CSV table of all heavy atoms in Angstrom, one decimal:
chain,number,residue,atom,x,y,z
A,1,GLN,N,85.9,53.8,70.2
A,1,GLN,CA,87.1,53.6,70.9
A,1,GLN,C,87.5,54.8,71.7
A,1,GLN,O,87.2,55.9,71.3
A,1,GLN,CB,88.3,53.2,70.1
A,1,GLN,CG,88.7,54.2,69.0
A,1,GLN,CD,89.8,53.7,68.1
A,1,GLN,OE1,90.9,53.3,68.6
A,1,GLN,NE2,89.7,53.7,66.8
A,2,ASP,N,88.1,54.6,72.9
A,2,ASP,CA,88.6,55.7,73.7
A,2,ASP,C,89.8,56.3,73.0
A,2,ASP,O,90.4,55.7,72.1
A,2,ASP,CB,89.0,55.2,75.1
A,2,ASP,CG,87.8,54.9,76.0
A,2,ASP,OD1,86.7,55.5,75.7
A,2,ASP,OD2,87.9,54.1,76.9
A,3,ARG,N,90.1,57.5,73.4
A,3,ARG,CA,91.3,58.2,72.9
A,3,ARG,C,92.6,57.5,73.4
A,3,ARG,O,92.7,57.2,74.6
A,3,ARG,CB,91.4,59.7,73.4
A,3,ARG,CG,92.4,60.5,72.7
A,3,ARG,CD,92.4,62.0,73.1
A,3,ARG,NE,92.7,62.1,74.5
A,3,ARG,CZ,92.8,63.3,75.1
A,3,ARG,NH1,92.5,64.4,74.5
A,3,ARG,NH2,93.2,63.4,76.4
A,4,LYS,N,93.4,57.1,72.5
A,4,LYS,CA,94.6,56.3,72.9
A,4,LYS,C,95.6,57.0,73.8
A,4,LYS,O,96.3,56.4,74.6
A,4,LYS,CB,95.3,55.7,71.7
A,4,LYS,CG,94.4,54.7,70.9
A,4,LYS,CD,95.1,54.2,69.6
A,4,LYS,CE,94.3,53.3,68.9
A,4,LYS,NZ,94.9,52.8,67.6
A,5,THR,N,95.7,58.3,73.6
A,5,THR,CA,96.6,59.2,74.3
A,5,THR,C,96.0,59.8,75.6
A,5,THR,O,96.2,61.0,75.9
A,5,THR,CB,97.2,60.3,73.4
A,5,THR,OG1,96.1,60.9,72.8
A,5,THR,CG2,98.1,59.7,72.4
A,6,GLY,N,95.2,59.0,76.3
A,6,GLY,CA,94.6,59.5,77.5
A,6,GLY,C,93.1,59.6,77.4
A,6,GLY,O,92.6,60.4,76.6
A,7,ALA,N,92.4,58.7,78.1
A,7,ALA,CA,90.9,58.6,77.9
A,7,ALA,C,90.2,59.1,79.1
A,7,ALA,O,89.1,59.6,79.0
A,7,ALA,CB,90.5,57.2,77.6
A,8,TYR,N,90.7,58.9,80.4
A,8,TYR,CA,90.0,59.2,81.6
A,8,TYR,C,90.8,60.1,82.5
A,8,TYR,O,92.0,60.0,82.6
A,8,TYR,CB,89.6,57.9,82.3
A,8,TYR,CG,88.8,57.0,81.5
A,8,TYR,CD1,89.4,56.0,80.8
A,8,TYR,CD2,87.4,57.1,81.5
A,8,TYR,CE1,88.6,55.1,80.0
A,8,TYR,CE2,86.6,56.3,80.7
A,8,TYR,CZ,87.2,55.3,80.0
A,8,TYR,OH,86.5,54.4,79.2
A,9,GLN,N,90.1,61.1,83.1
A,9,GLN,CA,90.7,61.9,84.1
A,9,GLN,C,89.9,61.7,85.4
A,9,GLN,O,88.7,62.1,85.5
A,9,GLN,CB,90.7,63.4,83.7
A,9,GLN,CG,91.7,63.7,82.6
A,9,GLN,CD,91.7,65.2,82.3
A,9,GLN,OE1,90.9,66.0,82.8
A,9,GLN,NE2,92.6,65.6,81.4
A,10,LEU,N,90.5,61.0,86.4
A,10,LEU,CA,89.9,60.8,87.7
A,10,LEU,C,90.9,61.0,88.7
A,10,LEU,O,92.0,60.3,88.7
A,10,LEU,CB,89.3,59.4,87.8
A,10,LEU,CG,88.2,59.0,86.7
A,10,LEU,CD1,88.1,57.5,86.7
A,10,LEU,CD2,86.9,59.6,87.1
A,11,SER,N,90.7,62.0,89.6
A,11,SER,CA,91.8,62.3,90.6
A,11,SER,C,91.2,62.6,91.9
A,11,SER,O,90.2,63.3,92.0
A,11,SER,CB,92.6,63.5,90.1
A,11,SER,OG,93.4,64.0,91.1
A,12,PRO,N,91.7,61.9,93.0
A,12,PRO,CA,91.2,62.2,94.3
A,12,PRO,C,91.5,63.6,94.8
A,12,PRO,O,90.8,64.1,95.7
A,12,PRO,CB,91.9,61.2,95.2
A,12,PRO,CG,93.1,60.8,94.4
A,12,PRO,CD,92.8,60.9,93.0
A,13,GLN,N,92.4,64.3,94.1
A,13,GLN,CA,92.8,65.7,94.5
A,13,GLN,C,91.9,66.7,93.8
A,13,GLN,O,91.9,67.9,94.2
A,13,GLN,CB,94.2,66.0,94.1
A,13,GLN,CG,95.2,65.4,95.1
A,13,GLN,CD,95.4,63.9,94.9
A,13,GLN,OE1,95.5,63.5,93.7
A,13,GLN,NE2,95.5,63.1,96.0
A,14,ARG,N,91.1,66.3,92.8
A,14,ARG,CA,90.3,67.2,92.0
A,14,ARG,C,88.9,66.7,92.0
A,14,ARG,O,88.6,65.5,91.9
A,14,ARG,CB,90.9,67.4,90.6
A,14,ARG,CG,92.3,68.0,90.6
A,14,ARG,CD,92.8,68.1,89.2
A,14,ARG,NE,91.9,68.9,88.3
A,14,ARG,CZ,92.2,69.0,87.0
A,14,ARG,NH1,93.2,68.5,86.4
A,14,ARG,NH2,91.3,69.8,86.3
A,15,GLU,N,87.9,67.6,91.9
A,15,GLU,CA,86.5,67.2,91.8
A,15,GLU,C,86.1,66.9,90.4
A,15,GLU,O,85.2,66.1,90.1
A,15,GLU,CB,85.6,68.3,92.4
A,15,GLU,CG,85.8,68.5,93.9
A,15,GLU,CD,85.1,69.7,94.4
A,15,GLU,OE1,84.7,70.6,93.6
A,15,GLU,OE2,84.8,69.8,95.6
A,16,ASP,N,86.7,67.6,89.4
A,16,ASP,CA,86.3,67.4,88.0
A,16,ASP,C,86.7,66.1,87.4
A,16,ASP,O,87.7,65.5,87.8
A,16,ASP,CB,86.8,68.5,87.1
A,16,ASP,CG,88.3,68.6,87.1
A,16,ASP,OD1,88.9,68.6,88.2
A,16,ASP,OD2,88.9,68.7,86.0
A,17,ILE,N,85.9,65.6,86.4
A,17,ILE,CA,86.2,64.3,85.8
A,17,ILE,C,86.1,64.5,84.3
A,17,ILE,O,85.5,65.5,83.8
A,17,ILE,CB,85.2,63.2,86.2
A,17,ILE,CG1,83.8,63.7,85.9
A,17,ILE,CG2,85.4,62.9,87.7
A,17,ILE,CD1,82.7,62.6,86.2
A,18,ALA,N,86.6,63.6,83.5
A,18,ALA,CA,86.6,63.7,82.0
A,18,ALA,C,86.7,62.4,81.4
A,18,ALA,O,87.3,61.4,81.9
A,18,ALA,CB,87.7,64.6,81.5
A,19,HIS,N,86.1,62.3,80.2
A,19,HIS,CA,86.2,61.1,79.3
A,19,HIS,C,86.4,61.6,77.9
A,19,HIS,O,85.7,62.4,77.4
A,19,HIS,CB,84.9,60.3,79.4
A,19,HIS,CG,84.9,59.1,78.6
A,19,HIS,ND1,83.7,58.6,78.0
A,19,HIS,CD2,85.9,58.3,78.1
A,19,HIS,CE1,84.0,57.5,77.3
A,19,HIS,NE2,85.3,57.3,77.3
A,20,PHE,N,87.5,61.0,77.3
A,20,PHE,CA,87.9,61.4,75.9
A,20,PHE,C,87.7,60.2,75.0
A,20,PHE,O,88.2,59.1,75.4
A,20,PHE,CB,89.3,61.9,75.9
A,20,PHE,CG,89.5,63.1,76.7
A,20,PHE,CD1,89.8,63.0,78.1
A,20,PHE,CD2,89.5,64.4,76.1
A,20,PHE,CE1,90.1,64.2,78.8
A,20,PHE,CE2,89.7,65.5,76.9
A,20,PHE,CZ,90.0,65.4,78.2
A,21,MET,N,87.1,60.4,73.9
A,21,MET,CA,87.0,59.3,72.9
A,21,MET,C,87.6,59.7,71.5
A,21,MET,O,87.6,60.9,71.2
A,21,MET,CB,85.5,58.9,72.7
A,21,MET,CG,84.8,58.3,73.9
A,21,MET,SD,83.2,57.7,73.6
A,21,MET,CE,83.5,56.3,72.5
A,22,HIS,N,88.0,58.7,70.8
A,22,HIS,CA,88.5,59.0,69.4
A,22,HIS,C,87.3,59.5,68.6
A,22,HIS,O,86.2,59.1,68.8
A,22,HIS,CB,89.0,57.7,68.8
A,22,HIS,CG,89.5,57.9,67.4
A,22,HIS,ND1,90.7,58.5,67.1
A,22,HIS,CD2,88.9,57.5,66.2
A,22,HIS,CE1,90.8,58.5,65.8
A,22,HIS,NE2,89.7,57.9,65.2
A,23,ARG,N,87.6,60.4,67.7
A,23,ARG,CA,86.6,61.0,66.8
A,23,ARG,C,86.9,60.8,65.3
A,23,ARG,O,88.0,61.2,64.9
A,23,ARG,CB,86.4,62.5,67.1
A,23,ARG,CG,85.5,63.2,66.1
A,23,ARG,CD,85.2,64.6,66.6
A,23,ARG,NE,86.5,65.4,66.7
A,23,ARG,CZ,87.1,66.0,65.7
A,23,ARG,NH1,86.5,65.9,64.4
A,23,ARG,NH2,88.2,66.7,65.9
A,24,ASP,N,86.1,60.1,64.6
A,24,ASP,CA,86.2,59.9,63.2
A,24,ASP,C,85.6,61.0,62.5
A,24,ASP,O,84.5,61.5,62.9
A,24,ASP,CB,85.6,58.6,62.7
A,24,ASP,CG,86.4,57.4,63.2
A,24,ASP,OD1,87.7,57.5,63.2
A,24,ASP,OD2,85.8,56.3,63.5
A,25,PRO,N,86.2,61.5,61.4
A,25,PRO,CA,85.7,62.7,60.7
A,25,PRO,C,84.3,62.4,60.1
A,25,PRO,O,83.5,63.4,59.9
A,25,PRO,CB,86.7,62.9,59.6
A,25,PRO,CG,87.4,61.7,59.4
A,25,PRO,CD,87.5,61.0,60.8
A,26,GLY,N,83.9,61.2,59.8
A,26,GLY,CA,82.6,60.9,59.2
A,26,GLY,C,81.5,60.7,60.2
A,26,GLY,O,80.3,60.4,59.7
A,27,GLU,N,81.8,60.8,61.4
A,27,GLU,CA,80.7,60.5,62.4
A,27,GLU,C,79.8,61.8,62.5
A,27,GLU,O,80.2,62.9,62.4
A,27,GLU,CB,81.3,60.3,63.8
A,27,GLU,CG,82.1,59.0,63.9
A,27,GLU,CD,82.8,58.8,65.2
A,27,GLU,OE1,83.0,59.8,66.0
A,27,GLU,OE2,83.1,57.6,65.6
A,28,ASN,N,78.5,61.5,62.8
A,28,ASN,CA,77.5,62.5,63.2
A,28,ASN,C,77.0,62.3,64.6
A,28,ASN,O,77.0,61.2,65.1
A,28,ASN,CB,76.3,62.5,62.2
A,28,ASN,CG,76.7,62.9,60.8
A,28,ASN,OD1,77.6,63.6,60.6
A,28,ASN,ND2,76.0,62.4,59.8
A,29,TYR,N,76.7,63.4,65.2
A,29,TYR,CA,76.3,63.4,66.6
A,29,TYR,C,74.9,64.1,66.8
A,29,TYR,O,74.7,65.2,66.3
A,29,TYR,CB,77.3,64.0,67.5
A,29,TYR,CG,78.7,63.5,67.3
A,29,TYR,CD1,79.7,64.4,66.8
A,29,TYR,CD2,79.0,62.2,67.6
A,29,TYR,CE1,81.0,63.9,66.6
A,29,TYR,CE2,80.3,61.8,67.4
A,29,TYR,CZ,81.3,62.6,66.8
A,29,TYR,OH,82.6,62.1,66.6
A,30,TYR,N,74.0,63.4,67.5
A,30,TYR,CA,72.7,63.9,67.7
A,30,TYR,C,72.3,63.8,69.2
A,30,TYR,O,72.8,62.9,69.9
A,30,TYR,CB,71.7,63.1,66.9
A,30,TYR,CG,72.0,63.1,65.4
A,30,TYR,CD1,72.7,62.0,64.8
A,30,TYR,CD2,71.7,64.2,64.6
A,30,TYR,CE1,73.0,62.0,63.5
A,30,TYR,CE2,72.0,64.2,63.2
A,30,TYR,CZ,72.6,63.1,62.7
A,30,TYR,OH,73.0,63.1,61.3
A,31,GLY,N,71.3,64.6,69.6
A,31,GLY,CA,70.8,64.5,71.0
A,31,GLY,C,71.2,65.6,71.8
A,31,GLY,O,71.1,66.8,71.4
A,32,LEU,N,71.6,65.3,73.1
A,32,LEU,CA,71.9,66.3,74.1
A,32,LEU,C,70.7,67.1,74.5
A,32,LEU,O,70.8,68.2,75.2
A,32,LEU,CB,73.0,67.3,73.7
A,32,LEU,CG,74.4,66.6,73.5
A,32,LEU,CD1,75.4,67.6,73.0
A,32,LEU,CD2,74.9,65.9,74.7
A,33,GLY,N,69.5,66.6,74.2
A,33,GLY,CA,68.3,67.3,74.6
A,33,GLY,C,68.0,68.6,74.0
A,33,GLY,O,68.1,68.8,72.8
């Protein structure tokens, strides 16, 4: 699930973008090359 208190940052005034997701403490993350 996305972060309930704000998930996406998309603005025509700014070049940067962002995506925020909820994080469960028991999740593991792999990859990123």
